[in-house]
């Protein structure tokens, strides 16, 4: 007898009600994400944090927005537990809204490791080409990274910026003693950063190690454009160069001391080809460092919070972008350690080591050529 047949009608009703409760909470949570996107993009949180508590009219005036919309948004934010209200029983001309102190860092402090607001922008980006995604589910094929648009690119760069700018050079690389020593030594080390997006990992390494030269490569031209601007703005353009290149390009070769790939191998249509390139790029005594998602070693029904989130990105974005070639392997966000080990071995690496660096959603792999 199956578990469904063995359930009493009371048990089924209990299960149904628990499911509906979770479903409704998720729907409200989705609205919170969309509302955070509005508050972030229109500068509403920043205006409240910097200008202090405001009525809807004051906030609209501060941000050049329409009072009626702002009033609705402020009330929604309060009910959602994101903002707080003073004088709640008075009219809207007296009711003032503010950001609780503990919500400021997650919502507006863009260089803080606790800055999570870009997740809302990433989510909006991930659903941007939904009709094309549905088409891919029906007919196979993929959806190009470009179709996800600016919100996906910007959200991705913003969510990783604090870690790449601070933790990467200040905590993660210093934990890998030989790499740390080589990046400080002469002759100046050369680093290649594959799938660099807006370039924050390349720039973070150059910021932390003032001798090194970094070449960042990405297939996406708008991302490379922004990476070049970021290099100039941070006065690192002399030592950090960016170029539009496909990681699978067989002509990509070099003699680099360190070759890195942050959160991108699982997005690639041909991860083995990309790893072969990384193998060609690295010196015999150099290091390849892959930073990808911290998922479990195997699929289990209960999963965990990280996998719940990673499968979400996968069904909407990472799997579709990884399916755009007819030969694509279709890895998806939930790239397990064994999957990477198999790719690395096919690409000619002798060994894959998981480094003992703790992070909520990243895992650090060191590949030996
Ligand atoms: C999820 S984003 C990660 C960007 C950046 N490394 C980060 O962690 O913020 C994945 C990146 O991989 C790039 N990418 C995907 N396939 C690529 C390929 N074959 N060659 C070079 N870049 C590629 C995409 O254009 C995109 O910028």
């Amino acid at each position: 007898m199956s578990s469904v047949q063995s359930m009493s009608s009371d048990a089924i009703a209990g299960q149904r009600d628990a499911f509906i409760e979770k479903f409704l909470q998720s729907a409200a949570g989705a609205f919170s994400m969309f509302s955070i996107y509005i508050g972030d993009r229109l500068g509403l949180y920043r205006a409240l944090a910097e200008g202090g508590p405001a009525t809807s009219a004051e906030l609209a005036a501060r941000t050049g927005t329409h009072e009626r919309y702002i009033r609705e948004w402020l009330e929604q934010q309060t009910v959602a537990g994101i903002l707080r209200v003073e004088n709640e029983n008075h009219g809207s001309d007296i009711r003032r809204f503010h950001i609780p102190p503990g919500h400021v860092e997650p919502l507006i402090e863009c260089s803080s490791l606790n800055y999570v607001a870009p997740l809302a922008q990433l989510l909006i980006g991930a659903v941007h080409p939904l009709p094309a995604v549905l088409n891919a589910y029906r007919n196979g094929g993929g959806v190009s990274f470009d179709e996800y648009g600016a919100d996906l690119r910007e959200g991705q760069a913003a969510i990783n910026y604090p870690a790449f700018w601070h933790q990467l050079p200040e905590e993660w690389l210093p934990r890998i003693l030989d790499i740390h020593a080589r990046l400080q030594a002469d002759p100046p080390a050369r680093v290649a950063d594959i799938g660099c997006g807006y370039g924050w990992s390349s720039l973070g390494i150059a910021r932390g190690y003032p001798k090194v030269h970094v070449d960042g490569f990405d297939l996406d031209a708008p991302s490379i454009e922004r990476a070049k601007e970021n290099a100039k703005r941070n006065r690192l353009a002399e030592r950090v160069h960016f170029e539009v290149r496909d990681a699978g390009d067989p002509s990509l070769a070099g003699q680099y001391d360190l070759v890195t790939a942050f959160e991108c191998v699982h997005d690639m249509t041909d991860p083995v080809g990309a790893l072969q390139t990384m193998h060609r790029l690295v010196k015999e005594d150099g290091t390849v460092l892959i930073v990808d998602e911290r998922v479990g070693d195997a699929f289990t029904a209960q999963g965990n919070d990280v996998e719940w989130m990673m499968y979400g990105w996968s069904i909407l974005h990472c799997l579709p972008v990884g399916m755009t070639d007819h030969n694509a392997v279709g890895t998806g966000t939930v790239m397990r350690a064994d999957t990477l080990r198999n790719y690395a071995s096919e690409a000619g690496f002798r060994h894959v080591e998981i480094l003992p660096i703790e992070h909520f959603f990243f895992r650090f792999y060191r590949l030996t050529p």
Side-chain angles (χ1 to χ4, degrees), residues 69-81:
Y69 282 103
I70 296 303
R71 195 187 336 145
E72 202 73 359
W73 179 82
L74 283 167
E75 291 175 9
Q76 181 272 350
Q77 291 286 285
T78 310
V79 173

Side-chain angles (χ1 to χ4, degrees), residues 128-207:
H128 184 71
L130 214 40
V133 171
L134 289 181
N135 185 48
Y137 270 70
R138 291 197 178 99
N139 302 310
V143 180
S144 74
F145 187 76
D146 195 46
E147 286 182 72
Y148 286 85
D151 278 324
L152 196 292
R153 289 188 185 97
E154 283 177 19
Q156 172 72 30
I159 197 74
N160 280 342
Y161 163 76
F164 290 172
W165 192 247
H166 295 289
Q167 277 185 306
L168 172 61
E170 292 164 20
E171 290 176 37
W172 300 341
L173 292 174
R175 296 277 309 276
I176 316 171
L177 298 180
D178 57 334
I179 296 183
H180 181 56
R182 179 64 195 97
L183 294 178
Q184 292 174 302
D186 285 310
R190 294 190 62 217
V191 179
D193 188 18
I194 303 293
C196 62
Y198 277 22
W200 290 119
S201 46
S202 320
L203 295 166
I205 295 171
R207 181 184 82 79

Side-chain angles (χ1 to χ4, degrees), residues 314-325:
S314 202
I315 59 169
L316 289 167
H317 173 72
C318 300
L319 184 58
V321 295
M323 293 274 283
T324 45
D325 283 348

Side-chain angles (χ1 to χ4, degrees), residues 72-101:
E72 202 73 359
W73 179 82
L74 283 167
E75 291 175 9
Q76 181 272 350
Q77 291 286 285
T78 310
V79 173
I82 300 168
L83 298 181
R84 299 260 160 81
V85 65
E86 298 153 22
N87 307 326
E88 72 172 298
N89 298 321
H90 292 71
S92 61
D93 51 336
I94 305 214
R95 243 184 252 144
R96 280 206 146 66
F97 298 84
H98 67 271
I99 307 191

